[in-house]
Amino acid sequence: MQDNQQHGSQMTEVEKFDEWVKSFFLDPETCALDHQLFSIDIYESDDEYMVEAVLEDHDVKDIKVCLSDNELSIIVDDTHKPFLEKKEDKLPTQRKIPFPFSICSRRITAEFSNPILVIRIHKFSPGKTAEDINIE
């Protein structure tokens, strides 16, 4: 009986994810942020959700992945690099990805292979609740 309840709640999560992905990518703000900051793609496999960010001209030390309940944040801090712009005008770049359900108790891994950052949120593997995700 417990397996049926767990399977039923998983189906609800999948349905929520599918609806959320549709609205996320149809949102004009998402498209604008893809062009202004950096692009994000979201994928799903049988075992995990994947967030892929294209971070050209960045080093892994400039990238931070943070987590808060149902929201994943990708922060790129390149304020230490020399730019033609005034330094006081330059702030870290941040994209927030609000999931339609809590992801904070799941196993989350991140790896950066220049220029692609891939964040994997495992569907069935519990993980430590942490605000910052280590990038490999």
Side-chain angles (χ1 to χ4, degrees), residues 35-61:
H35 292 293
Q36 293 171 356
L37 303 178
F38 53 86
S39 66
I40 290 178
D41 274 323
I42 300 170
Y43 306 98
E44 179 185 18
S45 72
D46 290 341
D47 299 327
E48 59 194 12
Y49 303 108
M50 291 162 280
V51 176
E52 184 178 280
V54 180
L55 302 170
E56 294 185 33
D57 302 321
H58 295 289
D59 297 321
V60 69
K61 68 181 185 315

Side-chain angles (χ1 to χ4, degrees), residues 4-64:
N4 287 342
Q5 288 176 345
Q6 189 174 16
H7 182 69
S9 68
Q10 182 61 33
M11 291 301 293
T12 302
E13 183 176 295
V14 169
E15 292 169 358
K16 285 181 184 178
F17 181 79
D18 288 344
E19 286 299 312
W20 170 76
V21 166
K22 287 178 194 172
S23 63
F24 182 80
F25 285 111
L26 292 175
D27 185 348
E29 185 177 341
T30 299
C31 185
L33 290 174
D34 280 351
H35 292 293
Q36 293 171 356
L37 303 178
F38 53 86
S39 66
I40 290 178
D41 274 323
I42 300 170
Y43 306 98
E44 179 185 18
S45 72
D46 290 341
D47 299 327
E48 59 194 12
Y49 303 108
M50 291 162 280
V51 176
E52 184 178 280
V54 180
L55 302 170
E56 294 185 33
D57 302 321
H58 295 289
D59 297 321
V60 69
K61 68 181 185 315
D62 301 331
I63 304 166
K64 186 174 182 181

Side-chain angles (χ1 to χ4, degrees), residues 80-98:
H80 62 279
K81 293 182 179 180
F83 283 97
L84 297 176
E85 304 170 20
K86 294 179 191 174
K87 265 204 173 204
E88 58 269 13
D89 293 342
K90 190 72 177 158
L91 295 173
T93 303
Q94 180 173 348
R95 293 281 310 260
K96 293 183 178 187
I97 302 110

